[in-house]
Amino acid sequence: MGTFLRRVWHLFNRRRHERELVQEMSEHRALMHDPAKFGDSHRLLERSRDAWGWNWLDDAAQDLKLGWRGLMRAPAFAITAVLILSFGIGLNLTLYQLANVGLLRPPDIKSPETLARFKRRSPGTSIAGVPYPLAQLVASENTVLSAVLLENNTAVAWGKELMPLTAAFVSPNWFSELGGTAAQGRLFAAGIDTASSAPALVITHQFWRTRLGSDPNIVGSTVDVNRIPVSVIGITAREFVGTDNDQPTVYLVFDQREHVFPDSAFLRSWETETTNLYGRLKDGVTPEVARESLRALMTALREQQPDYIVENEWLEPAMGSANFMDQGERTGIVGALSLLGLLTTLVLVVAAANVGNLVLSRATGRSRELGVRVALGAKRSRIVRQLVIETLPLALTGAVAGLLLAGWTADSIAAIGGMADNISYAPDWGTIVVGLAMSVITVLVIGAAPAWKVARQELMAAIKDGGQQVSISLDKARLRRVMMAAQVGGSCLILVLAAMMTRTLQRVLSDDLGFEYEQAAVLEPGLGRHGFDDAGAIAYWNTVKARVEQQPETAALALALAPPLGRRVRENGYEDAPGLEVVSNSIEPAFFDVMEIPLVLGRTFQSGDDPKTTVIVSRALATAMYGSLDVLGRGFPRSQPEATIVGVAGDAHAIRIEAVYTSELYRPLSPAEYVQAILIARARGDAATLAPVLREAASIDSRILPGVGLLRDSFARRVAGTRVASGIAAGTGLLTLIIACLGIFGVVSYGATLRVKEFGIHLALGAERWAVIRLVVRHIVWPVAIGMTLGVAAAGPIGVALTSGPIQLQAADPAAYAGALVLFVVAALTAALLPAVRVLKSDPIQSLRHS
Amino acid sequence: MLILRVLRQEPLHGYAIAQKIRHLSSDQLSVEEGSLYPALQKLLANGWVKADWATSDTGRKVRSYRITPKGLKQLESEQDDYQRMADAITAILEST
């Protein structure tokens, strides 16, 4: 047994050991002729304890007890400090937790380190999905993968009510390769679930619980998918999450796809690039080896399919252990998270600095008590240790409360954000360790810095004048001002950012989206899935349009390729307009009328316009690319013209509502695009009245299972995330503002109380009241001013960094700065003046008489 | 060093150790007997001795200490050190 272990063992058995020692010594004394020669048992016991080297622990425990008692005696201080700290720590842990579970931690699947997701790459392009025939060729001809897994998410109609659902078609080895198990029944298996066997369906546990009411008899029953009976063979285990947190509702087998989409050419089509391709690397195969081997395979396959595989195309692996993100995506996400992490850490610093100031105030009040300890022989290090350890209960309570808060908020945010509900967002060991690390940092800030400051004072002198001098010199300490500047700066920065986010949301919610969505409905029949060819699609749409137009509810209608507020969208960047994303859509001429997008210049499309050579640009695109609106008849894009501009439309963020740096490009809908087209109709009255009209009209073909949605619902869904995010930001901003103001209030009111005599003398000598107020507030003016300047200066670059990426902030917004600053100044002034006025009201001259 | 030396021959309990030291040193080193115990605790903490409860010849329950191999090694090195120091001091004293 090592010496250390022996000592630890002694520590845990200390009571018994000491009892035995006492007994042993008394036996010894009993044997002696002259027991007086034995010595003082108590002193000897004390020295025996020293031998084991645990005395510091006893001292620490004593300090801790002392600290705890001190906190219990000042419940208001304790509660405020714990609340502030738990907020600071909790916010950080929430972010860490969400990021860890949602983005950074590998999905809970079998051996994620050998499972790769392959994306198609060629110089300059990246496509997430592959055509199904290509996936099959890769599966059969590669030499580096032990298994190939396929997945494709498709909308299907469920049950007799034709409820729209997202189903995943997967290869039969999906569950066995990912390590999924069944909660009931069985899952798919290669060789059993084949193209010719009876169509089978697996339900996810979440769908079974939330939408099917945990029906115990579901396995073995038959359900309708696209009006085709399919038998339910099993339910996935509750913990099974698949390859990402975005769960489908039901699983079907790829090879049985034509059972439920009888006319679909999906399994043979090289044009539909929506199959997700995963592969399990053979033993000893690295991602690099796999990439090069598959690159050679793709080059060989290009010989067979030159139209669909481009030159130099390769398959880029992204490993499961990296959450199926490639280096670029990971860097982007980690960058955005680090920035958010920086902000939340700032909140913690603000919180800790605030509590640090409170602790310092309390310590100054106790300078007399500490002076007595020094006079009795306590070393300076002992005083520092005492003050640091006293703050431990604060930090630990804060950390525990922060953990609870984080677990709760992460769960709530996950629920609001619609993340998979079978993943636990409760704090795991990693979070607990991070939480403890944060509380250690907190202790250093709130305990060590003030303690060091206090211990360096002439504490002995404090006994003489009741601590007056020491208190005043501590009150003026630079540390205090630095802490206050940090608080003010941090909270100012967060407030400005929160104001930016709120303004961004406001802009999204206000009516200047540039188009009208309240009265519009969208019909998505998914003709491609149901085996329509180009001619069939055109004929279908002509009939449907005629039927919808006849109805009195309809005001206007048009076909388009991408639905407004939807996700299906092509984005390009042009060298002529750097930094501007161009979202393109193919439309019928009436589109602008239906969406109420104004035509600024020129005309809309005409029936004779060639889709390849005619375009309409948005105002933002015209200005960015040509520098003026005078673009009619000019070539597009500017440096390599392929088309002629016939019109300029108003800016309409119909696709990416929250995006600022995007513009729109419109082309006429080409005959080949009718298969993928959707119909947008505007109602004369309530948009809801259009839904039955569209459904009725769409069902002229019995194969079609139409999906009808209202744009106002899509809009609400699209802003939900932004709404939650700016709600959180605004809440955080206000809370940090309150914390900073509490800090200002505390410092000013404490300083005022200490120097009440001095003010009394000033007043007695005839000073004006406002002059005294100035005296009270004077020493916080500089820290506050410096903090505000730093905070506002930092908000600029951080805001700009957040404009791109997932947050889409509008950074250059003077109103946000002004709003935040005015709010801050008003709050800070109130916090500073309240105690000053209170001092004056209490009549400082009175205090002179007492002393 | 003295305690380890005394324990090298046989395991002993506290009172016996004190007696033996006094006896061996011909009563020259009779300090406060109790101070034996902090020293024993230090030896226990370092793992140089081990203690077990036993019943003494007189039927009393006593704790008997015995030296460990680690303690033997320590004793040797301390004796060496002491010897060197004593030789050096003797040399200095005899030179004048």
Side-chain angles (χ1 to χ4, degrees):
Chain A
M1 192 159 52
T3 304
F4 178 71
L5 284 181
R6 197 175 312 109
R7 286 180 187 210
V8 172
W9 185 73
H10 170 83
L11 182 66
F12 287 110
N13 297 287
R14 211 153 56 139
R15 278 172 197 279
R16 185 166 58 85
H17 286 176
E18 285 184 6
R19 236 187 0 253
E20 286 174 357
L21 188 61
V22 169
Q23 191 193 347
E24 199 183 351
M25 292 201 291
S26 73
E27 294 278 351
H28 189 137
R29 283 166 78 109
L31 287 171
M32 288 173 70
H33 301 297
D34 181 9
K37 276 192 174 168
F38 185 82
D40 178 8
S41 308
H42 287 287
R43 192 171 43 79
L44 291 169
L45 196 63
E46 193 68 32
R47 276 175 51 204
S48 304
R49 266 184 214 142
D50 282 349
W52 292 93
W54 287 118
N55 281 3
W56 62 269
L57 200 67
D58 290 338
D59 292 347
Q62 223 168 31
D63 287 344
L64 202 62
K65 227 183 274 171
L66 206 67
W68 188 254
R69 227 182 303 155
L71 285 185
M72 291 291 113
R73 268 205 306 266
F77 162 76
I79 290 171
T80 317
V82 165
L83 279 182
I84 291 174
L85 287 179
S86 55
F87 165 66
I89 295 176
L91 190 71
N92 278 282
L93 291 182
T94 306
L95 178 77
Y96 173 82
Q97 190 65 16
L98 283 178
N100 188 29
V101 175
L103 298 166
L104 301 177
R105 195 162 71 186
D108 192 9
I109 53 174
K110 194 170 79 185
S111 315
E113 66 285 353
T114 57
L115 189 70
R117 177 178 178 170
F118 292 97
K119 291 187 180 175
R120 292 175 72 185
R121 282 283 187 80
S122 60
T125 66
S126 169
I127 306 169
V130 304
Y132 186 71
L134 174 64
Q136 280 191 312
L137 285 173
V138 170
S140 59
E141 301 195 8
N142 82 81
T143 54
V144 284
L145 305 174
S146 61
V148 167
L149 291 76
L150 305 177
E151 182 201 28
N152 166 253
N153 290 326
T154 308
V156 296
W158 173 266
K160 303 273 183 255
E161 313 79 34
L162 303 180
M163 181 166 73
L165 284 191
T166 305
F169 286 87
V170 294
S171 46
N173 60 356
W174 184 256
F175 296 106
S176 57
E177 280 297 328
L178 295 182
T181 53
Q184 283 185 37
R186 68 170 180 91
L187 303 177
F188 300 137
I192 298 176
D193 298 292
T194 59
S196 52
S197 62
L201 178 123
V202 167
I203 296 177
T204 61
H205 202 276
Q206 183 169 0
F207 182 66
W208 179 62
R209 259 181 301 124
T210 56
R211 307 278 286 274
L212 302 179
S214 302
D215 177 1
N217 301 317
I218 193 80
V219 174
S221 70
T222 303
V223 295
D224 278 0
V225 175
N226 291 350
R227 296 202 186 104
I228 311 282
V230 178
S231 53
V232 178
I233 60 164
I235 302 171
T236 58
R238 193 187 170 107
E239 319 76 61
F240 180 74
V241 287
T243 49
D244 51 31
N245 295 335
D246 225 3
Q247 278 235 25
T249 50
V250 297
Y251 290 97
L252 291 128
V253 184
F254 242 119
D255 288 341
Q256 297 176 350
R257 193 183 158 96
E258 287 175 5
H259 278 290
V260 290
F261 288 111
D263 303 302
S264 165
F266 185 91
L267 298 183
R268 294 174 300 282
S269 166
W270 277 84
E271 283 165 9
T272 322
E273 304 170 320
T274 52
T275 300
N276 298 326
L277 173 66
Y278 296 88
R280 175 77 68 191
L281 305 186
K282 283 184 180 166
D283 278 349
V285 172
T286 63
E288 292 71 33
V289 169
R291 184 203 294 127
E292 293 316 313
S293 165
L294 292 175
R295 189 198 296 273
L297 177 62
M298 289 296 276
T299 310
L301 290 176
R302 181 173 146 76
E303 311 258 301
Q304 302 169 26
Q305 296 289 347
D307 292 346
Y308 298 108
I309 299 176
V310 299
E311 206 174 339
N312 293 328
E313 185 168 331
W314 79 91
L315 294 172
E316 178 68 28
M319 303 310 294
S321 42
N323 236 325
F324 301 115
M325 286 188 282
D326 61 33
Q327 199 54 45
E329 290 170 317
R330 213 177 156 77
T331 314
I333 284 182
V334 169
L337 285 178
S338 318
L339 205 61
L340 284 178
L342 190 80
L343 291 180
T344 53
T345 314
L346 202 65
V347 175
L348 180 62
V349 170
V350 170
N354 190 280
V355 177
N357 247 337
L358 286 177
V359 170
L360 195 59
S361 297
R362 267 167 51 88
T364 46
R366 289 166 50 195
S367 54
R368 192 174 178 161
E369 170 203 331
L370 296 173
V372 171
R373 288 205 62 176
V374 172
L376 288 177
K379 275 193 236 153
R380 196 158 280 179
S381 60
R382 187 77 173 72
I383 299 282
V384 172
R385 204 169 73 186
Q386 182 195 342
L387 290 174
V388 172
I389 288 178
E390 275 182 22
T391 54
L392 256 181
L394 270 186
L396 284 181
T397 322
V400 170
L403 270 174
L404 294 177
L405 187 74
W408 180 75
T409 40
D411 261 346
S412 321
I413 292 175
I416 295 169
M419 292 157 92
D421 77 345
N422 54 348
I423 301 173
S424 167
Y425 294 89
D428 56 7
W429 280 110
T431 320
I432 292 173
V433 168
V434 172
L436 283 179
M438 281 186 171
S439 50
V440 168
I441 297 171
T442 321
V443 167
L444 288 181
V445 175
I446 67 176
W452 178 243
K453 195 78 208 166
V454 170
R456 276 178 52 191
Q457 302 295 319
E458 284 298 330
L459 286 170
M460 291 268 253
I463 307 173
K464 294 176 207 149
D465 68 346
Q468 193 74 11
Q469 271 312 313
V470 171
S471 299
I472 287 179
S473 89
L474 275 179
D475 186 49
K476 286 182 180 159
R478 192 181 299 145
L479 179 70
R480 271 200 109 138
R481 278 178 279 169
V482 170
M483 278 186 172
M484 178 177 290
Q487 278 177 60
V488 170
S491 76
C492 229
L493 166 59
I494 288 159
L495 210 57
V496 172
L497 289 177
M500 284 179 190
M501 287 191 80
T502 315
R503 290 268 303 165
T504 308
L505 178 68
Q506 235 176 27
R507 185 172 49 80
V508 169
L509 290 179
S510 69
D511 278 336
D512 66 353
L513 277 180
F515 68 98
E516 180 53 53
Y517 62 86
E518 282 287 349
Q519 284 173 292
V522 172
L523 165 68
E524 293 190 59
L527 297 184
R529 287 201 297 276
H530 298 289
F532 281 77
D533 58 12
D534 291 350
I538 293 172
Y540 172 84
W541 276 125
N542 284 340
T543 324
V544 170
K545 274 165 65 182
R547 287 180 66 161
V548 175
E549 240 162 7
Q550 279 170 9
Q551 301 302 318
E553 290 89 349
T554 316
L557 56 87
L559 296 180
L561 192 58
L565 307 170
R567 281 166 196 273
R568 217 170 62 192
V569 52
R570 275 177 297 183
E571 278 180 38
N572 306 78
Y574 291 96
E575 286 174 11
D576 298 326
L580 189 70
E581 278 178 44
V582 181
V583 173
S584 71
N585 199 358
S586 301
I587 56 165
E588 280 196 319
F591 179 81
F592 296 110
D593 191 26
V594 175
M595 299 299 298
E596 297 188 354
I597 298 172
L599 269 173
V600 184
L601 277 174
R603 60 170 175 85
T604 183
F605 297 122
Q606 293 163 353
S607 52
D609 286 337
D610 182 350
K612 289 208 171 88
T613 59
T614 324
V615 293
I616 293 175
V617 296
S618 72
R619 179 196 282 266
L621 181 53
T623 322
M625 196 177 280
Y626 301 92
S628 83
L629 289 182
D630 184 22
V631 295
L632 291 186
R634 295 185 68 167
F636 181 91
R638 198 178 62 176
S639 48
Q640 292 165 314
E642 291 165 0
T644 312
I645 299 173
V646 297
V648 177
D651 292 320
H653 297 297
I655 304 291
R656 305 248 313 255
I657 44 177
E658 62 278 37
V660 183
Y661 304 103
T662 60
S663 60
E664 296 78 36
L665 174 72
Y666 304 96
R667 296 174 189 276
L669 191 69
S670 73
E673 289 170 326
Y674 275 74
V675 169
Q676 298 171 48
I678 51 100
L679 177 75
I680 311 165
R682 187 155 51 82
R684 283 188 201 286
D686 187 359
T689 60
L690 269 184
V693 171
L694 292 176
R695 227 171 257 133
E696 166 71 25
S699 52
I700 47 160
D701 190 305
S702 62
R703 290 175 289 179
I704 298 295
L705 306 156
V708 174
L710 304 185
L711 277 192
R712 59 173 186 234
D713 295 341
S714 331
F715 180 76
R717 265 200 304 279
R718 291 301 290 274
V719 293
T722 319
R723 213 187 273 265
V724 171
S726 40
I728 294 170
T732 312
L734 285 179
L735 272 170
T736 37
L737 173 71
I738 291 172
I739 292 179
C741 286
L742 261 179
I744 295 175
F745 177 86
V747 168
V748 173
S749 87
Y750 191 76
T753 321
L754 273 182
R755 299 191 308 168
V756 75
K757 264 186 227 163
E758 183 189 333
F759 302 145
I761 296 171
H762 275 279
L763 282 174
L765 291 176
E768 297 277 343
R769 289 185 158 246
W770 65 265
V772 174
I773 291 185
R774 213 177 54 186
L775 268 179
V776 179
V777 181
R778 196 178 54 190
H779 63 296
I780 63 143
V781 169
W782 275 113
V784 170
I786 291 171
M788 280 177 75
T789 317
L790 288 179
V792 171
I798 294 182
V800 169
L802 288 174
T803 50
S804 58
I807 297 170
Q808 306 280 6
L809 209 61
Q810 192 174 16
D813 185 357
Y817 280 94
L821 280 181
V822 167
L823 182 62
F824 195 90
V825 167
V826 168
L829 268 181
T830 317
L833 288 181
L834 268 180
V837 170
R838 209 180 47 185
V839 166
L840 283 182
K841 269 199 182 149
S842 71
D843 195 359
I845 303 181
Q846 279 288 335
S847 72
L848 287 177
R849 301 202 185 120
H850 294 302
S851 52
Chain B
M1 182 174 87
L2 289 181
I3 300 175
L4 288 175
R5 174 71 184 74
V6 168
L7 289 177
R8 196 173 70 177
Q9 290 148 5
E10 54 178 332
L12 290 171
H13 53 85
Y15 180 72
I17 296 172
Q19 292 300 317
K20 195 142 189 188
I21 290 179
R22 190 147 36 140
H23 178 71
L24 288 176
S25 67
S26 330
D27 287 350
Q28 291 296 309
L29 288 171
S30 65
V31 283
E32 224 178 45
E33 282 189 22
S35 60
L36 176 69
Y37 288 93
L40 276 172
Q41 292 294 314
K42 204 175 160 198
L43 297 183
L44 276 173
N46 285 321
W48 294 335
V49 300
K50 270 197 160 105
D52 303 295
W53 284 99
T55 314
S56 76
D57 309 339
T58 53
R60 283 173 179 272
K61 221 179 145 209
V62 292
R63 194 138 72 144
S64 139
Y65 296 86
R66 85 190 134 75
I67 193 162
T68 62
K70 203 174 156 192
L72 273 175
K73 227 179 266 170
Q74 176 68 19
L75 176 62
E76 273 168 32
S77 101
E78 277 188 34
Q79 276 181 331
D80 284 354
D81 286 349
Y82 175 77
Q83 200 54 53
R84 259 200 300 279
M85 177 68 77
D87 289 349
I89 293 173
T90 317
I92 294 169
L93 289 178
E94 285 175 356
S95 71
T96 50

